[in-house]
Amino acid sequence: MKVTVSRKAHFNAAHRLYNADWSDARNAIVFGKCANPNYHGHNYELIVSVNGEIHPETGFVMDMKVLKKLIENEIEEKFDHKNLNEELKEFRTLNPTAENIVVVIWNILRPKIDDKLALSITLYETPRNFVEYSGE
Amino acid sequence: MKVTVSRKAHFNAAHRLYNADWSDARNAIVFGKCANPNYHGHNYELIVSVNGEIHPETGFVMDMKVLKKLIENEIEEKFDHKNLNEELKEFRTLNPTAENIVVVIWNILRPKIDDKLALSITLYETPRNFVEYSGE
Amino acid sequence: MKVTVSRKAHFNAAHRLYNADWSDARNAIVFGKCANPNYHGHNYELIVSVNGEIHPETGFVMDMKVLKKLIENEIEEKFDHKNLNEELKEFRTLNPTAENIVVVIWNILRPKIDDKLALSITLYETPRNFVEYSGE
Amino acid sequence: MKVTVSRKAHFNAAHRLYNADWSDARNAIVFGKCANPNYHGHNYELIVSVNGEIHPETGFVMDMKVLKKLIENEIEEKFDHKNLNEELKEFRTLNPTAENIVVVIWNILRPKIDDKLALSITLYETPRNFVEYSGE
Amino acid sequence: MKVTVSRKAHFNAAHRLYNADWSDARNAIVFGKCANPNYHGHNYELIVSVNGEIHPETGFVMDMKVLKKLIENEIEEKFDHKNLNEELKEFRTLNPTAENIVVVIWNILRPKIDDKLALSITLYETPRNFVEYSGE
Amino acid sequence: MKVTVSRKAHFNAAHRLYNADWSDARNAIVFGKCANPNYHGHNYELIVSVNGEIHPETGFVMDMKVLKKLIENEIEEKFDHKNLNEELKEFRTLNPTAENIVVVIWNILRPKIDDKLALSITLYETPRNFVEYSGE
């Protein structure tokens, strides 16, 4: 009897899309206005989903208060009101596309969550663009 | 050619999180303000999803009008404007966490829906907390 | 140059609609399933709006961090995960309709906010029902 | 390391539900007010999702700008502000239920998207009714 | 102590924008694809707002159940799953723009609602386009 | 017979809150993490509302296609994927708070819109923080 439990959170950050191995011209062609060297930004909406058995005593798959706190400490603290390219070591050489950000977040949270729970992360970069990663 | 068809519905209910086998003190520690003996409540948003073949004559997997009516009769009628702990027999000894509620709803609807259709239920307890169960 | 600044917040609470001067039968007729003596509940969405001049040094009408904290301390702390009828003195004799709740919230916040700022409160009882009060 | 990338789009269209092999009476019984011969309409919300490996140079599974353009050219151009029954050859003999529309959209987009990417389409006919098709 | 009470509802309809005094060519130039003679359609979202004193016995400005029923009987019944140009006498010579529809709805509801209550109607034609009319 | 017509748009931008007349320490105290010198960013949601008489021939207060194009040319082109502090002359000495941004946008659009139409601008900085300015 496996249930998926999801918690929404959010953070606001600046970024630019940029491949350091390319010329500025090529970056501008491939990434368009997202390559703006002065950065732009987003309100990122994050959904963290864990799947597993319901614990018979609590009725929880995972205590939502614990999950909320974990997201605050591990993700919001680190990403909120930051410049992803400049301030997060993960993106020093990795382009902060939504795809790469969602994988980075999954990799941060995976070791902090019980191995018996499957983990899936959804990230909205804008209300119209979003990505999902399940570690597969 | 299998399509998933989903219908949203909602109900408003009171509940508290509570394990009758535990002391009040332990309930308060584990469930925090959700254990308030005077209850609190939610606008629950419900999504019922069925997956199956499109019927060639109607173009329907399942008639949405039938699904809407089924949700009204079996779920809204039973859950809406109710105190889940006090008034629903399913929660006399079962803690009405979102996880347990979604399983209860799935168990109510499963026998009422054609065996050839897979059934999945998503339940939003708040806009930031939601659960999903597919009978697995 | 007056700007309106709004902050959204939310709380989850149980309530029932009930006029103590009426018979149970009359309460049931007038308030329908909202009169359920076992209570039901809602995810209340709250919007607090203040209107005033932009401060030339900060660019703020009112510091949103201060407004957020004020809503947490004065409203969320008091209303969240509570039974409005049983636990809030304001509703001992006052029926906790959305209309009465929004006036109570306005009356709590008005003395805590600078007199030079106009105050308006919007309260969603459900995604389809909401009320607004401006102290007029 | 497979990520799902989704892009939302929308189109407004008129349609009616109708099986040309049936009498008008039977159409009216089965499809109710959706069979109105004068048509009704919807704001369709469309989500196109592709799943695949992140390209190491761009950090993209698929360039969202390309996906956005593809949806505009192949779907919005064809469906937006149209009468689906009267103006789209796909629905000359096929009933434009949400289920059939989502399959038609999947069939249009599938050959235009890299074979290495899995494709899934979600279509909201109303905020409360939606369907999903993955080509299975 | 005046409170505004609002209720959301919706209807799905087909329409086209068209001025019968103009040539088809001029209609096409002014209204673009909205002039399509085969119609297109929308999920209209409607918000009906009434402003007035809170009744001291009920705590209501206006009973939301009554308002909901009124909208169903007077507006949804008439507009839902209809072709506005073909089936509503109000639009026989009046172009069914969002502006004209909102005025028509206000004019239908105004005589049905207590004179002591101010009435304002908001109509979403799409999630990005909406209009509001207060009878002024 | 005056109707308000509203159009939603959006842009993504980076900014920081900063008063150049203050020390970095005071900026950090007053603006908190919003003062981060490396910037952060938002998906700004913009609502442009015009109020006026319905034109009897078109049924429009203002052609929504014209309003949409005006917002694209005057606002999105200028603000989207930009660093507000670094790239917009309006914010060289003006702190780009939501309040100041909404006034700047109003001032840009006011001369481009017919004098007979009242203009009001709403700007969402996040889903929970928003501001409104009507030129008063």
Side-chain angles (χ1 to χ4, degrees):
Chain A
M1 223 166 65
K2 288 193 164 185
V3 170
T4 303
V5 173
S6 297
R7 172 79 196 166
K8 283 195 195 177
H10 64 275
F11 56 88
N12 311 320
H15 79 153
R16 67 176 297 211
L17 300 189
Y18 181 70
N19 181 333
D21 296 338
W22 294 353
S23 67
D24 284 357
R26 191 171 170 198
N27 272 291
I29 287 167
V30 174
F31 298 121
K33 56 190 181 178
C34 298
N36 181 350
N38 291 309
Y39 309 105
H40 63 283
H42 298 290
N43 302 328
Y44 290 93
E45 292 283 330
L46 177 70
I47 303 174
V48 177
S49 301
V50 295
N51 178 276
E53 299 288 338
I54 300 177
H55 191 284
E57 279 200 302
T58 57
F60 289 155
V61 167
M62 177 176 176
D63 186 336
M64 214 75 104
K65 298 187 297 296
V66 173
L67 183 55
K68 181 186 173 188
K69 206 72 202 165
L70 185 68
I71 300 170
E72 282 173 10
N73 291 345
E74 300 295 328
I75 307 300
E76 293 178 39
E77 190 68 31
K78 192 184 174 82
F79 285 74
D80 191 34
H81 282 74
K82 293 291 171 58
N83 182 311
L84 303 183
N85 304 68
E86 293 295 315
E87 297 180 278
L88 268 72
K89 67 177 192 308
E90 287 86 348
F91 300 110
R92 253 181 229 148
T93 59
L94 185 68
N95 196 4
T97 58
E99 290 93 325
N100 282 334
I101 299 172
V102 80
V103 172
V104 163
I105 291 174
W106 192 93
N107 286 334
I108 293 170
L109 290 178
R110 183 60 281 184
K112 307 281 181 180
I113 288 172
D114 188 332
D115 278 358
K116 289 196 290 292
L117 300 175
L119 174 65
S120 174
I121 311 280
T122 302
L123 182 73
Y124 281 75
E125 191 173 73
T126 73
R128 298 207 162 262
N129 291 350
F130 58 100
V131 296
E132 191 271 338
Y133 180 60
S134 306
E136 282 158 22
Chain B
M1 222 165 65
K2 290 194 162 183
V3 170
T4 302
V5 172
S6 297
R7 173 78 196 167
K8 284 195 193 175
H10 65 274
F11 56 88
N12 310 321
H15 79 152
R16 68 177 295 212
L17 299 189
Y18 182 69
N19 182 332
D21 296 339
W22 292 354
S23 67
D24 284 357
R26 190 170 172 200
N27 271 290
I29 287 166
V30 174
F31 298 121
K33 56 189 179 178
C34 297
N36 180 350
N38 291 307
Y39 309 105
H40 63 282
H42 299 290
N43 303 328
Y44 290 93
E45 292 283 330
L46 177 70
I47 303 174
V48 177
S49 301
V50 296
N51 179 276
E53 298 287 338
I54 300 177
H55 191 286
E57 278 199 302
T58 58
F60 288 156
V61 167
M62 178 176 175
D63 186 336
M64 214 76 105
K65 297 186 297 296
V66 173
L67 183 55
K68 181 187 173 186
K69 205 74 202 164
L70 185 69
I71 300 170
E72 283 172 9
N73 292 345
E74 301 296 328
I75 307 300
E76 293 178 39
E77 190 69 31
K78 192 185 175 81
F79 286 74
D80 191 33
H81 283 74
K82 294 290 171 56
N83 182 311
L84 301 183
N85 304 68
E86 293 295 315
E87 299 180 275
L88 266 73
K89 66 175 194 310
E90 286 87 348
F91 300 110
R92 253 178 231 151
T93 59
L94 185 69
N95 195 3
T97 58
E99 289 93 326
N100 281 333
I101 300 172
V102 80
V103 171
V104 164
I105 291 175
W106 192 92
N107 286 334
I108 293 171
L109 290 178
R110 182 63 279 181
K112 307 281 181 181
I113 288 172
D114 188 333
D115 279 357
K116 288 195 292 291
L117 300 176
L119 174 65
S120 174
I121 310 281
T122 302
L123 182 73
Y124 282 75
E125 192 174 72
T126 73
R128 298 208 164 264
N129 290 352
F130 59 99
V131 295
E132 192 268 341
Y133 180 59
S134 305
E136 280 158 22
Chain C
M1 223 165 69
K2 290 193 162 183
V3 170
T4 302
V5 172
S6 298
R7 173 77 195 166
K8 285 195 194 175
H10 65 274
F11 56 88
N12 310 321
H15 80 152
R16 66 176 297 213
L17 299 190
Y18 181 69
N19 181 333
D21 296 337
W22 294 353
S23 67
D24 283 358
R26 188 167 174 203
N27 270 291
I29 287 166
V30 174
F31 298 121
K33 56 189 179 179
C34 298
N36 182 350
N38 292 308
Y39 309 103
H40 64 283
H42 299 289
N43 303 328
Y44 291 92
E45 291 283 330
L46 177 71
I47 304 174
V48 178
S49 301
V50 296
N51 177 276
E53 299 286 337
I54 301 177
H55 191 286
E57 278 200 302
T58 57
F60 288 157
V61 166
M62 178 177 175
D63 185 336
M64 213 75 106
K65 298 187 298 296
V66 173
L67 183 54
K68 181 187 173 187
K69 206 72 202 164
L70 184 69
I71 300 170
E72 284 173 8
N73 291 346
E74 301 295 327
I75 307 301
E76 292 178 40
E77 190 69 30
K78 190 183 176 83
F79 286 74
D80 191 35
H81 283 74
K82 294 290 170 56
N83 182 311
L84 302 183
N85 305 67
E86 293 295 315
E87 297 180 277
L88 267 72
K89 68 176 191 310
E90 287 85 348
F91 300 109
R92 255 179 228 149
T93 59
L94 184 70
N95 197 3
T97 58
E99 290 93 327
N100 281 333
I101 300 171
V102 80
V103 171
V104 164
I105 291 174
W106 192 92
N107 286 335
I108 293 170
L109 290 178
R110 182 63 280 184
K112 307 282 183 181
I113 287 172
D114 188 333
D115 279 356
K116 289 196 292 291
L117 299 176
L119 173 66
S120 173
I121 310 281
T122 301
L123 181 74
Y124 281 75
E125 190 174 74
T126 73
R128 298 208 163 264
N129 291 350
F130 59 99
V131 296
E132 190 270 340
Y133 180 60
S134 306
E136 283 160 20
Chain D
M1 225 166 65
K2 288 194 164 184
V3 170
T4 303
V5 173
S6 297
R7 172 79 196 166
K8 285 196 192 174
H10 64 274
F11 56 88
N12 310 321
H15 80 150
R16 66 176 296 211
L17 299 189
Y18 181 71
N19 181 333
D21 295 338
W22 293 354
S23 67
D24 284 358
R26 189 168 172 202
N27 271 290
I29 288 165
V30 174
F31 298 121
K33 57 189 179 178
C34 297
N36 181 350
N38 291 310
Y39 310 104
H40 62 284
H42 298 291
N43 303 328
Y44 290 93
E45 292 283 331
L46 177 71
I47 304 174
V48 177
S49 301
V50 296
N51 178 276
E53 299 287 339
I54 301 177
H55 191 285
E57 279 200 300
T58 58
F60 288 156
V61 167
M62 178 177 175
D63 186 337
M64 215 73 106
K65 297 186 300 295
V66 172
L67 183 54
K68 180 187 175 188
K69 205 74 202 163
L70 185 69
I71 300 170
E72 283 173 9
N73 291 345
E74 300 296 327
I75 307 301
E76 293 179 39
E77 189 70 31
K78 191 184 175 84
F79 286 75
D80 190 36
H81 282 74
K82 294 292 170 57
N83 182 311
L84 302 183
N85 304 67
E86 293 295 316
E87 298 180 277
L88 266 73
K89 66 176 193 310
E90 287 86 348
F91 300 109
R92 256 182 226 147
T93 59
L94 185 70
N95 196 4
T97 58
E99 290 92 326
N100 281 334
I101 300 172
V102 79
V103 172
V104 163
I105 291 174
W106 192 91
N107 286 335
I108 293 170
L109 290 178
R110 182 62 279 183
K112 307 281 181 181
I113 288 171
D114 188 332
D115 279 358
K116 289 195 290 292
L117 300 175
L119 175 65
S120 175
I121 311 280
T122 301
L123 183 73
Y124 282 75
E125 191 174 72
T126 73
R128 297 208 164 264
N129 291 350
F130 59 98
V131 295
E132 192 270 340
Y133 181 60
S134 305
E136 279 157 24
Chain E
M1 222 165 70
K2 289 192 161 183
V3 170
T4 302
V5 172
S6 297
R7 172 78 196 167
K8 284 194 193 177
H10 65 274
F11 57 88
N12 310 321
H15 79 152
R16 67 176 297 213
L17 299 189
Y18 181 70
N19 180 334
D21 296 337
W22 293 353
S23 67
D24 285 359
R26 191 171 170 198
N27 271 290
I29 288 166
V30 174
F31 297 121
K33 57 190 180 177
C34 297
N36 180 351
N38 291 309
Y39 309 105
H40 63 284
H42 298 291
N43 302 329
Y44 291 92
E45 291 284 330
L46 177 70
I47 304 174
V48 178
S49 301
V50 295
N51 178 275
E53 298 288 337
I54 301 178
H55 191 286
E57 279 201 300
T58 57
F60 288 157
V61 166
M62 177 176 174
D63 186 337
M64 214 75 107
K65 298 188 297 296
V66 173
L67 183 55
K68 181 187 174 188
K69 206 72 202 166
L70 184 69
I71 300 170
E72 281 173 11
N73 291 346
E74 301 295 327
I75 307 300
E76 292 179 39
E77 191 68 31
K78 191 184 175 82
F79 285 75
D80 190 36
H81 282 74
K82 294 292 170 56
N83 182 312
L84 302 183
N85 305 67
E86 293 295 315
E87 297 180 277
L88 267 72
K89 66 177 192 308
E90 286 85 349
F91 300 109
R92 254 179 228 149
T93 58
L94 185 69
N95 196 5
T97 57
E99 289 93 326
N100 282 332
I101 299 172
V102 80
V103 171
V104 163
I105 291 174
W106 192 92
N107 287 334
I108 293 170
L109 290 178
R110 182 61 278 185
K112 308 281 183 183
I113 288 172
D114 189 332
D115 279 358
K116 288 195 291 291
L117 300 176
L119 174 64
S120 173
I121 310 282
T122 302
L123 182 73
Y124 281 76
E125 191 173 75
T126 73
R128 297 208 163 263
N129 291 350
F130 58 100
V131 295
E132 189 269 339
Y133 180 60
S134 306
E136 283 159 21
Chain F
M1 223 165 69
K2 290 192 162 184
V3 170
T4 302
V5 172
S6 297
R7 172 79 196 166
K8 283 195 194 176
H10 64 274
F11 56 89
N12 311 321
H15 79 151
R16 67 176 295 211
L17 299 189
Y18 181 69
N19 181 333
D21 296 338
W22 293 352
S23 66
D24 283 357
R26 190 168 171 200
N27 271 290
I29 288 167
V30 175
F31 298 121
K33 57 190 178 177
C34 298
N36 179 351
N38 291 310
Y39 310 104
H40 63 283
H42 299 290
N43 302 330
Y44 290 92
E45 292 283 330
L46 177 69
I47 304 175
V48 178
S49 300
V50 295
N51 178 275
E53 299 286 338
I54 301 178
H55 191 285
E57 279 200 301
T58 57
F60 288 155
V61 166
M62 179 177 173
D63 186 337
M64 213 76 106
K65 298 187 298 295
V66 173
L67 183 55
K68 180 186 174 187
K69 206 72 203 166
L70 184 69
I71 299 170
E72 284 172 11
N73 292 345
E74 300 295 328
I75 307 300
E76 293 179 39
E77 189 70 31
K78 190 183 177 84
F79 286 74
D80 191 35
H81 282 74
K82 293 292 169 56
N83 183 312
L84 302 183
N85 305 67
E86 293 295 315
E87 297 180 277
L88 267 72
K89 68 177 190 310
E90 287 86 349
F91 300 110
R92 254 180 228 148
T93 58
L94 185 69
N95 195 4
T97 58
E99 290 93 326
N100 282 333
I101 299 171
V102 79
V103 171
V104 163
I105 291 174
W106 192 92
N107 287 333
I108 293 170
L109 289 179
R110 182 61 278 185
K112 306 283 182 180
I113 287 173
D114 189 332
D115 278 357
K116 289 195 292 290
L117 300 175
L119 174 65
S120 174
I121 310 281
T122 302
L123 183 73
Y124 281 75
E125 191 174 75
T126 74
R128 298 207 163 264
N129 291 351
F130 59 99
V131 294
E132 191 269 341
Y133 180 59
S134 305
E136 283 158 20

